[in-house]
Amino acid sequence: MSLLPGVFAICRYPADTRLPEWAGKAGFFAITRTVDELCIVCEANVLPAEKPTHCSPDWRCICLQGPFSLDSTGVLTAVLAPLGLADVSIFAVSTYETDYVLIKAKDEHLARRVLLDAGHVFTN
């Protein structure tokens, strides 16, 4: 796994909100719309000066080095279980080939230690 550079934000809008123009300007971003909400995960440096009401801007992002087959099982569990036991909050984002686990910036050192103790390897 590797820790992506920079700080990330997780923002929530009402479901019917038009997609903000800034959302797609980040190198890494994930956008999910459901009947209940519009959620944007992105690099914090692209946020507008007036941040959304529901926005948590202090996250770091761990990339699980894929690709993983869509039939793979237990990939996220192997990472999330030790973090959960250490009371590290997470926010997970999955793509077709890999998974990303966001952790609060304040928990970065604890999360790294917990994951190393669980047998995971960081490439950076």
Side-chain angles (χ1 to χ4, degrees), residues 49-71:
E50 189 173 314
K51 293 179 181 48
T53 303
H54 300 287
C55 186
S56 181
D58 296 315
W59 295 79
R60 297 299 313 272
C61 186
I62 299 170
C63 173
L64 282 58
Q65 300 294 341
F68 300 110
S69 163
L70 291 178
D71 296 332

Side-chain angles (χ1 to χ4, degrees), residues 18-36:
R18 183 179 175 151
L19 189 61
E21 184 177 316
W22 57 262
K25 292 187 177 179
F28 176 100
F29 64 94
I31 300 168
T32 305
R33 185 186 305 272
T34 68
V35 297
D36 298 316

Side-chain angles (χ1 to χ4, degrees), residues 1 4 11 13-14 21 27 32-34 37 40-41 45 48 62 68 76 95 104 118 123-124:
M1 58 183 56
L4 299 184
C11 304
Y13 289 92
E21 184 177 316
T32 305
R33 185 186 305 272
T34 68
E37 67 180 305
I40 301 169
V41 179
N45 63 352
I62 299 170
F68 300 110
L76 271 176
T95 68
K104 299 264 185 161
T123 60
N124 63 349

Side-chain angles (χ1 to χ4, degrees), residues 8 12 25 29 35 39 41 43 60 66-67 69 78 83 86-87 91 93 96-97 101-102 113-114:
F8 295 81
R12 182 199 182 281
K25 292 187 177 179
F29 64 94
V35 297
C39 180
V41 179
E43 296 164 355
R60 297 299 313 272
S69 163
L83 292 175
D87 289 326
F91 187 95
V93 174
Y96 192 90
E97 292 189 343
V101 176
L102 287 93
R113 187 180 40 131
V114 165

Side-chain angles (χ1 to χ4, degrees), residues 3 58-60 62 83 86-90 102-115 122:
L3 189 66
D58 296 315
W59 295 79
R60 297 299 313 272
I62 299 170
L83 292 175
D87 289 326
V88 174
S89 296
I90 66 95
L102 287 93
I103 55 169
K104 299 264 185 161
K106 68 177 181 63
D107 293 331
E108 176 184 341
H109 298 292
L110 171 60
R112 183 182 288 265
R113 187 180 40 131
V114 165
L115 292 171
F122 281 86

